[in-house]
Amino acid sequence: MRLFLSKEEKELDAILAKVDNNMSNNYKDAAQENYKEFLKRYAELTESGKLKEKTVAYYQGVINEYAAKLSKFTHKDQPTKWGDWEKH
């Protein structure tokens, strides 16, 4: 658990909480959209210099983790027929 977060870190963590919530409810499109929102805001904060180096490194690890989680978390990978469920 991280203590003493900056306003920017709290904002990024709130967006990630939305991603997690949507993933747990299987809202694939919403989770993907929130992840894109996170990446955009992270880029803005990084470019403006509002995040410390240690924080940037932390979120790079988080980005790698979520990229792996969300890579197959789409509707296009979802089976469309009952028989297809057994193949996955």
Side-chain angles (χ1 to χ4, degrees):
M1 182 175 166
R2 299 178 317 138
L3 301 173
F4 309 113
L5 301 177
S6 68
K7 177 181 75 168
E8 292 81 11
E9 290 172 280
K10 288 178 184 177
E11 179 183 358
L12 291 173
D13 286 349
I15 298 170
L16 288 175
K18 288 187 216 175
V19 175
D20 287 334
N21 187 38
N22 286 322
M23 285 177 67
S24 68
N25 289 316
N26 206 27
Y27 299 149
K28 296 176 180 180
D29 293 337
Q32 294 286 352
E33 189 62 37
N34 289 140
Y35 181 63
K36 289 176 187 173
E37 174 188 356
F38 168 80
L39 291 176
K40 179 181 177 194
R41 188 63 182 137
Y42 171 77
E44 291 170 356
L45 293 171
T46 303
E47 289 171 12
S48 67
K50 292 187 177 183
L51 298 177
K52 297 177 185 176
E53 281 185 43
K54 187 175 180 180
T55 304
V56 170
Y58 168 77
Y59 281 112
Q60 281 299 320
V62 170
I63 288 170
N64 292 337
E65 179 184 322
Y66 276 86
K69 284 182 189 178
L70 292 167
S71 67
K72 298 251 182 200
F73 197 69
T74 63
H75 286 292
K76 73 178 184 83
D77 296 324
Q78 186 173 345
T80 56
K81 295 182 246 170
W82 281 106
D84 291 343
W85 289 98
E86 296 168 3
K87 296 176 188 172
H88 290 273

